[in-house]
Structures are given as structure tokens and as C-alpha cells.
Amino acid sequence: MRDDLQNLVDRLAAYSAAGVLFDWDTSAGDAPEEAADYTAKLVGILAGESFALCTSDETVKLLKDCLEHPSDDEVETAIVKRLWEDYEKICHIPKEEYIAYQELVSKGMNRWERAKDEKDFSLFSPVLKELVEMSKKINGYRPRKEGLTLYDMMLDEYEKGFTTKELDRFFGELKDELLPIVKKVSEKQDIVRTDFLTRNCSIDEQKHFNYVLAEYLGFDHTRGVIAESAHPFTTSLHNRDVRITTHYYENMITSAIFSTIHETGHAIFEQNNSDRITMTPLAGGSCAVHESQSRMFENMIGRSEAFWEPVYPKFQEIFEEQFGDVTLEEFVRAVNAAKPSLIRTESDELTYCFHIMIRYELERELFDGDLSVDDLPKLWNQKYREYLGVVPENDAEGVLQDVHWSGGMFGYFPSYALGNAIAAQIYHAMGKKVDIDGALRSGDLEVILAYLREHIHQYGAMRETKRLLLDATGEEFNPSYYIQYLKDKYIKLYEL
Ligand code: ZN
């Protein structure tokens, strides 16, 4: 890469790494509760510096020069394209507003945590109103692409090329095909036994098991750490420092297990970004592709009998008292059980996408419609009753359950649902080349990891989702694999 471009990329990576570390310290580290406002100021200053660097005359001149003299190198070309797009996104926003927004985002998280602890939406709603208003304003500065609404632009920010038009079709299909199954499954709850999953298991032993499990799946402990936080997540400085968190419950051992498997899926993606794209704007991966990897590990791999066949005897050895009398088949059936519930992160595979659909419909009303922040809890509860037949008793298990809006991440949720569908599509394509079940039964996942490295992980966010999917699967985005996968699984499990 040319030196001046490399220098810009390195400096931007440094600002971004500092932001990641502050975030980590707030969410999983030792930052005290009262630190939030002052820390927000520091984060704001760094964001301002990064903003100034991205929009400086020197940078603009450099990028224009790169665009006029394109390189033959795919990575370099993609970096320039990405930096130019980023510049175009923010160049219309006044610097003071950009900094104020970053500060607000940093403060939002703290306010949300308090409100959630107190189960009281009114403690969060003032800052949420500000976040919504500022997001509207900031996204309003960007030149609107033909035919797109404000919310379309916000969706496009996270997942290029997926707008309300496509999402309406996608969620429409899920509603038609899967809601009837959800209803039938709710009525046949006694078919799958799950009582043993709430048996008490020591947290120390859980920690040990999860540490080994992550490594078994392909997590490299020399390039990553596992910590704890209320809401599990993955973050990274680069492909040699990838951090995940999980959350342990004494009486719900599978919560930590599947959080760990999920975040490990994210982490393996990041650890296997090629050296050429790590610490560049192409590192990581698009939201939906990222989520496809975590959900593939969590669900398609992590809840399959083939996966547990070699793992379960070791699990039983550690938790003999609790699981000695539970067979492999009973355990696998239990971890696949479905039941409409209130909390997205604890929800089963079948109902998961409807949690996302509810958030999508609400966000759309907030930004393209006339829904006010104050009416969010009421509409939230209404939609849960309508689609899933359950109603939250308080805001903590309702509208306050997710962290995203506190960080100004509006338009992000749909990537979760897209990620599930993409996971199924990639899994189907991988199955044509790799004996997935055979690999899982043998206890050696390397052929699976190698396939994913080759087709997905190495590229990070270098290729747009639609192109990556086409290259990897030979097909455009096609949610029918996801729908079929869920139908097959749940019709069999619940004898529908
Ligand atoms: Zn995830």
C-alpha cells in the first residue's frame, strides 16, 4: 500500500482501538459507575480527532488522488472505497454535532443500565428521545439516495443494499411460514423435556467448561480473552486481540454455553481476518455476515446432535451430578426446545426472528412514521402479545432489554435476522463441499473452519454482503434455506 494511505489507515486504527478499549472498560472492565460522564467527554474528544482526520483537506486530497490512480490491489482499492464512503457519510455533518452525538451515545449506555436496573423506562426515555432526534438530524444531513426513506438510509448504513422493501418481503415470508408453527409449538410444550437444564451447576466449573469449549470450536486463546458482562458481546482491536464476554447463571448452564458458542463464532471470524485487512476499515465484517457466523456456530453447529456426540461425554464427566442421568438425545432435544418468551437473547431459534421483527417494525415507526418514544413500551407490549402471545411484566423484560438503542444503533436489529438467514444459506452451500456432520462427530472441526476461512473469514468486510454471498454460495440472498431448516427441525421435534 502507498505510504501516505498506510499512514492514514494506521492512525484511524489507533483512534478506533482507543474507542474499543474505553467501551470494553465500561462494559466488561473495571470502570466505576460514576466515571460515565467524564469518560464520555474523553471518548467524544477522540471521536472528534478521528472525525477531523477523516475530513481533513489532506485526507480528501489523498483519497481523491487514490481514486484517480486506482491500484491493482483488491484490498487497497476496497480500503479507498470504504474511506471515501465514510467521508461522504460524515462530511455533511457539522463537527460540533458529530462530537455531541458521540458524547450522547457514550452517556446513553449508562442511563440505560440504570433504567434497566430500576425496571423504569422513564429513566431512559429522555436520553432516548435525544438519541432519536439526533439520529434523525445526523442522518438527514446525508444526501438521500433516490427512493429511499430515512430509515432505509439507516438500514443501509449497517447492511448495504437491504432496505425496508426487501425486509418487508423477508419478514412477510417468515410470518407466513413460521408463525403457524410457533402457535402449534406453544400448544405442545410437554413434548420436549427441559427440567434438567435448570439444575444448579457451579460457576467455576462452568467457566472451565466454556474456556475449553471455545478452544475446541477454534477460538485461539493466545489471540483473545473471555470475560464476563451482563450482555455478552465481542469486540476486537485487531486479529490478535479479540475479546468476548459471556454471562454465567448457576441454574441455567446452557445460557453461558450458547453465549460462549455464539460469541466464539464472532471471534473466530475476527481472528481469521487476513493480516492485510486487520487494523484497516475492512476489518471485522458486515453486521449480518458477522451474525451469520455466530448464529451458525450457536445453532446449526452448537445445537446439533453431531456436535454434542463427542462433547457430551466430557460435559457429563464435569457435571456428573446434574447430567449423569440425562442421555445425549434428551439433552439435544432440550437445547432445541422452543417456547415463545420475552427476552430476545434467551429466545429459541424458532421465535428469535419475531423478536427482531418487532424491533424492526417499531424502529420503522420511530423514524419513518410518527411513533413517539413515550409510546414505545405500550406498542412493544402490544406486538409481543400479537406475535408471540406473551406480555412483559415490566420494562426491563420489555422495551429496555437490549443495549442497542442506548448506543444510537437504530437500524441494526434487522441484521440479526438477516444473519440467521445468511447462516442457513452458507451452511447449505458448505454442506455440498464438506461432510459437516462427519467432521462434528469426529471431534475435529478443522475442515469446517478451513471452509469458512476461505469463503468468509479472511475477507472481513472487504466484500459487500451480497457479493460475498454470491461468491460463497453461487446464489443471491435466499431466505428459503433458513425457513426450510427451521420447518424441518421443529416439525420433527414437536411431531407437528
Ligand atoms: Zn452476535
Side-chain angles (χ1 to χ4, degrees):
M1 200 181 324
R2 46 190 277 188
D3 287 348
D4 44 4
L5 183 62
Q6 183 72 57
N7 181 271
L8 172 66
V9 166
D10 289 346
R11 287 165 72 196
L12 288 172
Y15 286 126
S16 143
V20 165
L21 281 177
F22 272 121
D23 249 8
W24 176 261
D25 197 39
T26 304
S27 314
D30 303 319
E33 191 184 330
E34 285 299 320
D37 288 358
Y38 283 7
T39 300
K41 190 174 171 188
L42 301 176
V43 171
I45 290 168
L46 284 172
E49 290 298 314
S50 174
F51 180 92
L53 180 58
C54 284
T55 53
S56 75
D57 294 345
E58 206 184 327
T59 298
V60 173
K61 206 173 134 220
L62 166 64
L63 293 177
K64 279 185 175 160
D65 192 49
C66 292
L67 287 168
E68 274 164 31
H69 306 97
S71 150
D72 300 333
D73 178 50
E74 191 187 9
V75 174
E76 190 169 334
T77 307
I79 288 174
V80 171
K81 185 168 172 256
R82 171 57 71 90
L83 287 173
W84 184 252
E85 281 169 2
D86 287 349
Y87 165 73
E88 285 203 305
K89 249 180 242 165
I90 57 176
C91 67
H92 307 280
I93 307 168
K95 189 179 169 196
E96 315 72 60
E97 281 184 38
Y98 184 80
I99 295 171
Y101 180 69
Q102 297 300 329
E103 284 181 27
L104 186 63
V105 159
S106 185
K107 206 163 71 183
M109 175 103 71
N110 178 268
R111 298 291 186 274
W112 165 76
E113 264 176 1
R114 284 187 197 176
K116 195 179 169 194
D117 282 349
E118 304 280 324
K119 303 183 173 65
D120 184 355
F121 183 69
S122 71
L123 296 175
F124 179 51
S125 57
V127 76
L128 183 59
K129 273 180 206 162
E130 276 186 75
L131 280 163
V132 169
E133 284 318 306
M134 272 188 98
S135 295
K136 281 184 183 173
K137 204 169 166 194
I138 281 183
N139 283 288
Y141 285 127
R142 291 164 52 196
R144 187 81 55 90
K145 285 185 200 157
E146 178 99 15
L148 296 192
T149 66
L150 179 67
Y151 187 50
D152 280 330
M153 298 277 293
M154 296 168 75
L155 291 167
D156 188 70
E157 170 104 15
Y158 292 108
E159 213 50 64
K160 229 178 231 171
F162 290 92
T163 60
T164 48
K165 205 172 127 199
E166 270 171 307
L167 287 167
D168 279 349
R169 197 184 314 135
F170 172 48
F171 285 121
E173 278 179 43
L174 297 184
K175 253 195 244 188
D176 293 346
E177 301 271 354
L178 298 177
L179 266 189
I181 297 184
V182 171
K183 297 241 152 61
K184 283 186 200 155
V185 163
S186 321
E187 288 153 12
K188 296 186 85 172
Q189 279 302 303
D190 42 0
I191 255 182
V192 181
R193 193 188 147 201
T194 57
D195 57 289
F196 45 79
L197 294 181
T198 53
R199 291 176 181 169
N200 249 43
C201 299
S202 107
I203 288 187
D204 278 346
E205 278 168 350
Q206 288 195 45
K207 276 186 194 170
H208 167 67
F209 180 74
N210 279 277
Y211 183 90
V212 176
L213 185 66
E215 185 169 304
Y216 176 76
L217 287 159
F219 184 84
D220 182 348
H221 287 290
T222 66
R223 290 173 169 224
V225 292
I226 305 179
E228 287 171 59
S229 69
H231 184 98
F233 67 96
T234 300
T235 189
S236 77
L237 301 181
H238 41 67
N239 64 7
R240 286 162 172 76
D241 187 345
V242 181
R243 303 172 182 214
I244 67 174
T245 66
T246 190
H247 191 91
Y248 300 101
Y249 298 92
E250 264 185 349
N251 60 355
M252 213 202 308
I253 189 171
T254 46
S255 174
I257 290 175
F258 288 101
S259 290
T260 301
I261 301 179
H262 179 98
E263 301 308 331
T264 295
H266 282 303
I268 292 171
F269 189 178
E270 299 266 344
Q271 288 182 334
N272 289 290
N273 274 187
S274 78
D275 282 342
R276 292 209 62 208
I277 64 153
T278 196
M279 291 202 293
T280 77
L282 308 177
S286 93
C287 309
V289 177
H290 233 304
E291 198 61 14
S292 78
Q293 299 307 289
S294 56
R295 295 292 280 181
M296 183 190 291
F297 273 87
E298 178 189 348
N299 294 327
M300 283 145 204
I301 293 175
R303 292 182 204 272
S304 70
E305 188 163 321
F307 170 75
W308 282 99
E309 209 176 276
V311 175
Y312 194 63
K314 290 173 190 131
F315 173 79
Q316 272 181 316
E317 238 170 68
I318 301 173
F319 302 102
E320 215 228 310
E321 200 187 308
Q322 299 87 347
F323 289 91
D325 64 340
V326 179
T327 66
L328 169 67
E329 198 206 338
E330 285 171 319
F331 180 77
V332 171
R333 283 172 65 86
V335 300
N336 283 291
K339 183 182 184 184
S341 64
L342 295 166
I343 309 292
R344 174 185 66 85
T345 54
E346 300 288 347
S347 71
D348 58 80
E349 268 187 282
L350 179 64
T351 55
Y352 184 85
C353 48
F354 296 107
H355 291 263
I356 301 303
M357 190 177 77
I358 290 170
R359 287 152 179 78
Y360 165 71
E361 291 181 356
L362 292 171
E363 284 186 342
R364 194 176 175 177
E365 282 302 305
L366 267 182
F367 289 94
D368 284 350
D370 49 17
L371 175 63
S372 80
V373 166
D374 288 329
D375 291 335
L376 264 177
K378 204 176 100 198
L379 205 54
W380 178 286
N381 295 354
Q382 257 174 32
K383 285 185 185 289
Y384 265 82
R385 179 182 291 122
E386 184 191 339
Y387 295 129
L388 294 172
V390 291
V391 186
E393 269 178 31
N394 58 60
D395 295 335
E397 56 183 37
V399 68
L400 284 174
Q401 65 182 267
D402 286 311
V403 65
H404 305 65
W405 290 341
S406 77
M409 290 164 78
F410 306 103
Y412 184 94
F413 280 117
S415 344
Y416 286 135
L418 291 172
N420 281 290
I422 291 171
Q425 189 174 339
I426 294 173
Y427 202 72
H428 182 265
M430 176 162 69
K432 287 189 201 159
K433 300 256 172 70
V434 172
D435 174 10
I436 302 174
D437 276 5
L440 294 175
R441 288 211 160 88
S442 77
D444 183 355
L445 278 56
E446 183 46 35
V447 283
I448 296 171
L449 295 170
Y451 178 92
L452 295 173
R453 260 196 309 272
E454 183 190 339
H455 294 279
I456 314 287
H457 298 168
Q458 61 162 323
Y459 296 113
M462 187 167 87
R463 296 182 176 168
E464 283 176 13
T465 303
K466 289 187 169 180
R467 154 95 195 275
L468 190 75
L469 207 50
L470 189 60
D471 287 350
T473 70
E475 210 183 337
E476 304 279 347
F477 172 66
N478 180 355
S480 65
Y481 297 109
Y482 175 52
I483 291 169
Q484 200 54 47
Y485 158 80
L486 288 173
K487 275 178 142 177
D488 288 348
K489 178 185 268 197
Y490 286 99
I491 285 172
K492 185 166 168 235
L493 185 59
Y494 283 87
E495 300 162 20
L496 303 177

